[in-house]
Amino acid sequence: MSANDRIQIGIIGAGGIGNEHMKGFQATPGAVVTAVTDVYQPLALERAKQYGIPNVHATYQELLQDPRVDAVVIAVPNDVHAPIAIEALQAGKHVLLEKPMAMNASSAKEIVKAHHKSGKVLMLSHQQRWESVYLQVKEQIDKGALGRIYNTKAGWMRRKGIPGWGSWFTQMHKAGGGPLIDLGVHMLDLSLHFMGSPKPVSVFGTTYAEFGPKRKGIGDWGKPDWNGFYDVEDLATALIKLENGGTITLDVSWAANTTFQDNGPYIYLMGTDGGASLKMGQGTLHTELFDRTADVEVNVPEGDEGPRIRMNAHFLECVREGREPMTSAMSGLANSLVLEAIYESSRTGNVVNLDWSLD
Ligand SMILES: NC(=O)c1ccc[n+]([C@@H]2O[C@H](COP(=O)([O-])OP(=O)(O)OC[C@H]3O[C@@H](n4cnc5c(N)ncnc54)[C@H](O)[C@@H]3O)[C@@H](O)[C@H]2O)c1
C-alpha cells in the first residue's frame, strides 16, 4: 500500500469495461490506479494519459511484478481470465475478476484452487448486486419478509444486441459462449444471491443461433470485425434445480424477434410470504394482506453514488480486512458449473447433474 494507505490498483485490459473500472476506481475513496496494461499498447497509453495513470506496462506479466500494485482488475477477453487470474494470485496480488469467471467449469476450478493456496482476495465483478434497489430487496429477504424463495424467473432478452460481431465476443474458443455466458451469468448470479446461495444441482437447457450467423441482430457494444466469425448461441433457455428444491428459469438473448421485458434485465422472485419484481434496477415488493394483493415500490434514493462505487468499496474493504467478498470464488464456480451444464444439456438433450468436485 502507498504512504497514505490507498490500495494501489493495476488494470489489465484497457477496453470497454477496463475503462469503466479506471473511471470507477478513480472515484472510489481509498484506491489509486497506479498501473495499466493492454496488449494493444496505444490504448493503454491513451487511457494512462486520460486518467493520469503513472505506469504503463508492456505485458500483464510485467504489471504483476510491479510492487506499486497491490490488487489487479482483470478486464480482458474470457479466454485469458483463468491464466491471468491464476498468475496474479501466484504473484501475491488481490484480484477483481470480470465476469464470467472463466471459459468453462474446469478453468474456474483451477482459479478456485489457486485462490485457496494464495490467501489473497478474489472477487468477481458483478456490479448488479450493488444496485440500490437490489440491496434494499436483499435486506428484506435477509429479514425473512419474503419467506422461502422457491422459484425465480430471470433473464435478459435483447432484441438487437450482439456485441462486437466477429470479434472475440462471438468466437466460442475466445468467449466460451454467447449471451448465456455474457448476460446470463449476471442474472444467474443475482438469482442465486437473492435465493440465499443454494447449491445448483442439475440443469436442462437449449441454445439457438438464428441471427448471429446471418449477421443480423447487431448491437452497439464492442467493435465489429467483419473478417471474423460467429459460432456462439444468440438465445438460451434453461431450468436450473437447486439443492433446496428451488428452481430458476433463465432466458437470455443477444438477438430475438421480441420486445419481451423491454430488452432489459429482469428478475421475478416468488417467496412463500412475499415476492419481488425487479426490472432494470427498479423494483416492487409483493405480498398478500387482508386477503388482498399488496405492492410496495422500492426506489433509488436521490444522489445515489451508483453500484460501481459500492462494489469497489466492498473490494477494498475485503482487501484491507482479509475478508471473503460477497461475489466469492465459489459463487463464480457455481455460475460456471451451471453455464457449462446448459451448453452440455443443449448438445446432448439430457438433464446434466453438476460436478462440484475440485479434482
Ligand atoms: N461486468 C460487466 O457488466 C461487463 C460488461 C462488459 C464486459 N465485461 C467483461 O469484461 C471483459 C472485457 O470485455 P470488454 O467489453 O472490455 O472487451 P474489449 O474487447 O473492449 O476489451 C478487452 C481488452 O483486453 C485487451 N487484452 C486482450 N488480451 C490481453 C492480455 N493478454 N493482456 C492485456 N490486455 C489484453 C484487448 O486488447 C482489449 O483492449 C470480458 O470478460 C467481458 O465479459 C463485463
Side-chain angles (χ1 to χ4, degrees):
M1 265 176 249
S2 61
N4 59 2
D5 228 23
R6 285 186 297 173
I7 290 168
Q8 305 170 107
I9 308 283
I11 308 279
I12 301 176
I17 208 71
N19 186 44
E20 293 302 317
H21 284 292
M22 289 178 229
K23 226 187 294 170
F25 273 107
Q26 277 212 331
T28 309
V32 55
V33 181
T34 52
V36 59
T37 186
D38 195 291
V39 281
Y40 182 54
Q41 279 287 290
L43 184 61
L45 289 164
E46 187 190 316
R47 301 279 201 232
K49 200 168 153 202
Q50 184 183 353
Y51 294 105
I53 301 169
N55 306 293
V56 178
H57 291 287
T59 62
Y60 77 83
Q61 288 94 341
E62 193 183 289
L63 184 145
L64 292 179
Q65 295 313 313
D66 188 339
R68 296 158 299 191
V69 171
D70 304 310
V72 293
V73 176
I74 299 178
V76 292
N78 302 350
D79 62 325
V80 275
H81 282 196
I84 299 182
I86 291 167
E87 277 185 61
L89 292 164
Q90 287 168 345
K93 308 296 184 192
H94 303 283
V95 173
L96 179 60
L97 175 58
E98 260 307 336
K99 60 82 196 166
M101 186 173 194
M103 290 267 287
N104 51 46
S106 62
S107 299
K109 288 180 181 181
E110 292 308 313
I111 299 176
V112 168
K113 285 192 261 183
H115 171 242
H116 285 167
K117 275 197 206 139
S118 73
K120 297 290 162 185
V121 170
L122 174 78
M123 174 166 147
L124 277 303
S125 181
H126 280 294
Q127 74 281 358
Q128 295 201 21
R129 285 209 199 182
W130 299 93
E131 291 284 352
S132 167
V133 164
Y134 297 178
L135 288 171
Q136 295 174 61
V137 168
K138 184 70 169 90
E139 198 182 328
Q140 293 303 320
I141 292 170
D142 291 344
K143 282 184 192 161
L146 275 66
R148 177 175 46 83
I149 301 172
Y150 52 91
N151 179 242
T152 293
K153 301 188 189 305
W156 192 332
M157 294 290 293
R158 281 193 193 150
R159 180 167 183 174
K160 192 167 159 46
I162 292 178
W165 193 100
S167 75
W168 70 266
F169 270 110
T170 68
Q171 300 185 11
M172 191 52 122
H173 72 292
K174 291 201 165 179
L180 182 58
I181 203 162
D182 180 39
L183 309 177
V185 68
H186 276 308
M187 308 323 291
L188 175 62
D189 179 74
L190 278 171
S191 301
L192 290 169
H193 172 59
F194 283 129
M195 296 177 92
S197 305
K199 256 189 178 177
V201 289
S202 64
V203 159
F204 188 52
T206 299
T207 67
Y208 303 86
E210 304 296 341
F211 284 72
K214 297 175 200 145
R215 299 193 178 200
K216 289 170 77 180
I218 314 290
D220 51 17
W221 181 272
K223 229 169 100 188
D225 173 2
W226 302 115
N227 296 316
F229 59 92
Y230 189 108
D231 68 348
V232 294
E233 83 283 0
D234 48 39
L235 185 146
T237 182
L239 175 68
I240 300 145
K241 286 197 164 199
L242 310 171
E243 67 175 351
N244 63 0
T247 43
I248 299 171
T249 59
L250 184 65
D251 288 286
V252 290
S253 70
W254 273 343
N257 286 316
T258 181
T259 56
F260 187 61
Q261 304 293 356
D262 301 327
N263 298 309
Y266 64 90
I267 299 205
Y268 295 96
L269 303 168
M270 263 67 66
T272 48
D273 298 326
S277 302
L278 310 172
K279 257 176 77 175
M280 294 190 259
Q282 302 298 313
T284 311
L285 290 163
H286 314 291
T287 192
E288 187 171 318
L289 278 179
F290 308 113
D291 266 349
R292 293 172 188 207
T293 58
D295 299 327
V296 176
E297 259 189 54
V298 187
N299 296 308
V300 180
E302 235 171 86
D304 180 47
E305 62 189 351
R308 280 197 177 277
I309 304 289
R310 283 189 284 271
M311 177 178 79
N312 293 349
H314 177 68
F315 178 64
L316 299 178
E317 201 178 293
C318 291
V319 168
R320 278 185 210 290
E321 297 173 12
R323 276 207 286 131
E324 177 158 276
M326 193 160 81
T327 40
S328 65
M330 288 312 283
S331 74
L333 176 59
N335 295 335
S336 289
L337 284 168
V338 170
L339 297 175
E340 183 171 287
I342 296 172
Y343 289 121
E344 191 185 332
S345 177
S346 184
R347 262 194 317 273
T348 61
N350 297 326
V351 172
V352 175
N353 294 316
L354 304 194
D355 173 12
W356 279 88
S357 70
L358 282 181
D359 302 317

